[in-house]
Amino acid sequence: MSEEHETAAEAEVVEQPADLAPAPRKLFVKTYGCQMNVYDSDRIAEALAPHGYVAVTSAEAADVVVINTCHIREKAAEKVYSEIGRLAKMKRVRQRNGGSLEIAVAGCVAQAEGAEIMARAPGVDIVVGPQSYHRLPDMLSALRRSGHPQLDTEFPEEDKFRHLPPRAKPRAPSAFLTVQEGCDKFCTFCVVPYTRGAEVSRPVSAVLDEARHLADGGVRELTLLGQNVNAYHGAGMDAEVWSLAKLLRALAELPGIERLRYVTSHPRDMGEDLIRAHAEIGKLMPYLHLPIQSGADRILAAMNRKHTVDDYRRLVDRLRQARPDLALSTDCIVGFPSETEAEFRATLDLVAEVGFVQAFTFKYSSRPGTPAAEFESQVEEALKTERLSRLQAVIDAGLVAFNRSCKGRVLPVLFEKAGRQAGQVTGRSPYLQPVHVPGEAGMIGKILDIEITSVGPGSLGGVIVQG
Ligand code: 5AD
Ligand code: SF4
């Protein structure tokens, strides 16, 4: 599979006579937000590579900058506008000196605020939503032909994956693979159903092809991505609709793939077969990100989460029965409109009770167009800040306790890259903890048993178990 891909890419370059080949343009893709944006940014670079775009590592060195944006909270979106401002200034300076810079805004801010970006940031040349970025090569050509800015924020019928070139050679032994996009849950605080659209699953054969290609290129760990990944329902080769559990079972059979993960899941879509998969698929890592958002039923109902605190507790029990060493992480929002002190404390209690090994905490951020933005009794910023730091303290304590409990244990670690210090290699434990070990580059891509000998604030240290 991978050979076919490489041959196709090479053929495209070789067929062009040298004097007609486009001059290489330097491309910088800057990523904000979630893992799916990281995946999309790779695919944007891959879509442009056959057209003569070579990746560079800074905007300063680039002819074309794509910023792949996040709209989930106000702060994330504001960061984007300040980066656009910085780039527009750079562009004006270059233009004064006879140079140029093309600026494209991709991702969820592009989707949500397309026309507004053009109005607010005149330096922007292209605005392209998350479902249309395969069109970037055409849009850049149209921009140059016409001299006019280009905008595409459609949700096209045709799926972008069919138009993207095959994946490039993987750069690391752990890779993301998008299997599902969009969300039909409509939590009242969340922009995702509007920016990423309705839930769509990629066909099984497309996922397996991409996974085989990644495995052939040296990938050992796949993290399946979707805004609501456990709602996956992809068309199978057998004319059946496949669940995520069935997809995971097929992926576990692929030679080379040693570890599987998936993110992000909704508690409502945690079906019996997926719970069983945690018991039966050894390659499925014992770590699950399962957002709870709040520990109070009234708030969960106002959030339209479609589950109660007790539903969540029961689900965690079933998961732990299936996989006793399962570590859980979660997302929590503090200061959702009308959240009382008692309701916030219920979140604190639930977090302590479940014993998450990691959690991502957010102050509620009012997002235009979402129902909760219109709710009364918005919580004051100072109170949100105070609640966030109290919650963070409980979460940090859980994280420290879990990391300490790993000291003396032997954990299989997948080594991913050279460590920051010379003579050190860094990998990840099954629980996603970074682990630093004395060793050499030959360890990268291998899974080795490591005895954990030290515990730092955000990582573990260890040594290879001899023999
Ligand atoms: N305000 C704060 N946090 C939010 N999230 C999503 N929307 C908002 C918002 N408006 C958080 C949720 C979600 C995570 C990806 O981001 O916790 O699970
Ligand atoms: Fe947003 Fe997740 Fe809720 Fe979907 S399930 S609306 S992505 S928070």
Side-chain angles (χ1 to χ4, degrees):
M1 200 64 218
S2 101
E3 268 166 38
E4 263 171 43
H5 289 165
E6 278 162 26
T7 316
E10 270 166 24
E12 208 160 336
V13 176
V14 172
E15 270 167 23
Q16 278 171 328
D19 54 348
L20 292 184
R25 288 178 197 260
K26 295 184 191 125
L27 168 75
F28 177 58
V29 186
K30 176 152 187 166
T31 311
Y32 293 87
C34 63
Q35 289 116 320
M36 196 176 286
N37 270 10
V38 174
Y39 175 88
D40 287 342
S41 290
D42 279 352
R43 303 232 51 183
I44 286 172
E46 289 165 11
L48 289 167
H51 300 266
Y53 293 81
V54 178
V56 294
T57 54
S58 73
E60 284 68 18
D63 306 310
V64 180
V65 176
V66 179
I67 48 179
N68 195 9
T69 61
C70 173
H71 198 247
I72 197 98
R73 285 168 291 275
E74 194 180 355
K75 246 198 195 147
E78 279 310 317
K79 264 197 223 156
V80 166
Y81 279 105
S82 74
E83 179 64 5
I84 294 174
R86 191 182 79 82
L87 292 170
K89 201 166 152 193
M90 193 193 298
K91 177 175 178 165
R92 284 195 299 276
V93 172
R94 285 197 198 177
Q95 283 173 333
R96 275 202 296 276
N97 296 321
S100 69
L101 176 66
E102 288 161 334
I103 304 173
V105 180
C108 292
V109 177
Q111 188 64 44
E113 300 181 4
E116 201 188 322
I117 296 174
M118 293 285 191
R120 207 174 139 181
V124 171
D125 300 294
I126 287 176
V127 171
V128 62
Q131 304 311 339
S132 317
Y133 61 73
H134 57 289
R135 292 204 53 244
L136 263 170
D138 288 346
M139 293 174 84
L140 281 158
S141 303
L143 167 74
R144 283 172 209 145
R145 269 198 318 272
S146 69
H148 296 306
Q150 305 287 311
L151 178 134
D152 187 344
T153 52
E154 294 297 306
F155 286 111
E157 280 292 305
E158 269 289 293
D159 116 54
K160 68 179 174 236
F161 292 105
R162 293 173 65 105
H163 296 276
L164 287 167
R167 303 298 319 266
K169 196 168 165 42
R171 283 171 310 204
S174 180
F176 294 137
L177 201 177
T178 292
V179 302
Q180 178 279 333
E181 267 188 272
C183 182
D184 294 342
K185 290 284 186 294
F186 289 93
C187 298
T188 54
F189 52 81
C190 185
V191 290
V192 166
Y194 313 98
T195 57
R196 288 273 174 175
E199 230 174 74
V200 178
S201 297
R202 293 180 69 190
V204 172
S205 60
V207 174
L208 293 181
D209 282 352
E210 192 170 329
R212 273 189 215 106
H213 170 73
L214 292 168
D216 288 350
V219 165
R220 297 289 159 261
E221 175 178 270
L222 285 177
T223 301
L224 308 186
L225 300 182
Q227 270 88 30
N228 199 355
V229 71
N230 58 342
Y232 179 84
H233 55 283
M237 296 81 78
D238 51 3
E240 302 265 313
V241 173
W242 285 36
S243 65
L244 186 67
K246 192 165 174 184
L247 183 67
L248 286 163
R249 285 179 204 280
L251 288 165
E253 298 297 318
L254 294 186
I257 297 300
E258 302 295 340
R259 289 181 161 193
L260 292 167
R261 304 177 184 277
Y262 60 94
V263 73
T264 285
S265 296
H266 192 288
R268 270 287 286 257
D269 293 316
M270 214 65 217
E272 188 52 42
D273 64 341
L274 190 51
I275 295 175
R276 257 201 335 274
H278 280 275
E280 294 167 6
I281 305 177
K283 291 181 181 178
L284 188 52
M285 289 293 96
Y287 181 96
L288 179 65
H289 184 65
L290 194 61
I292 174 71
Q293 312 297 1
S294 167
D297 282 339
R298 191 186 70 88
I299 295 293
L300 288 174
M303 288 175 162
N304 190 31
R305 285 292 291 176
K306 308 177 205 296
H307 62 82
T308 63
V309 173
D310 250 356
D311 295 335
Y312 190 89
R313 278 198 190 101
R314 278 196 293 272
L315 179 55
V316 167
D317 285 348
R318 284 162 63 210
L319 281 159
R320 283 181 169 152
Q321 269 164 27
R323 183 86 205 223
D325 61 341
L326 188 76
L328 287 157
S329 81
T330 201
D331 289 340
C332 292
I333 295 177
V334 302
F336 187 79
S338 83
E339 182 190 64
T340 64
E341 169 65 18
E343 285 164 338
F344 167 66
R345 281 213 203 125
T347 303
L348 286 181
D349 292 346
L350 184 72
V351 165
E353 176 194 324
V354 175
F356 294 105
V357 303
Q358 178 63 278
F360 302 90
T361 56
F362 309 102
K363 290 193 264 188
Y364 168 72
S365 170
S366 170
R367 307 308 290 127
T370 60
E374 310 298 324
F375 289 0
E376 307 209 325
S377 325
Q378 298 281 329
V379 174
E380 267 179 39
E381 194 57 27
L383 194 51
K384 287 186 204 168
T385 306
E386 187 234 2
R387 287 182 184 168
L388 188 76
S389 72
R390 284 162 66 198
L391 178 57
Q392 199 56 55
V394 175
I395 286 159
D396 289 347
L399 178 63
V400 168
F402 179 65
N403 283 347
R404 283 206 185 121
S405 76
C406 292
K407 192 163 173 185
R409 284 179 69 183
V410 172
L411 298 177
V413 172
L414 169 59
F415 287 94
E416 295 179 0
K417 55 184 180 191
R420 273 207 210 115
Q421 288 168 26
Q424 211 181 45
V425 196
T426 298
R428 296 231 178 223
S429 75
Y431 312 110
L432 279 181
Q433 297 143 303
V435 185
H436 309 295
V437 173
E440 83 283 340
M443 285 158 59
I444 294 169
K446 292 190 178 150
I447 298 172
L448 299 173
D449 281 341
I450 301 299
E451 183 183 344
I452 304 304
T453 51
S454 64
V455 176
S459 64
L460 307 176
V463 291
I464 300 175
V465 175
Q466 294 305 323

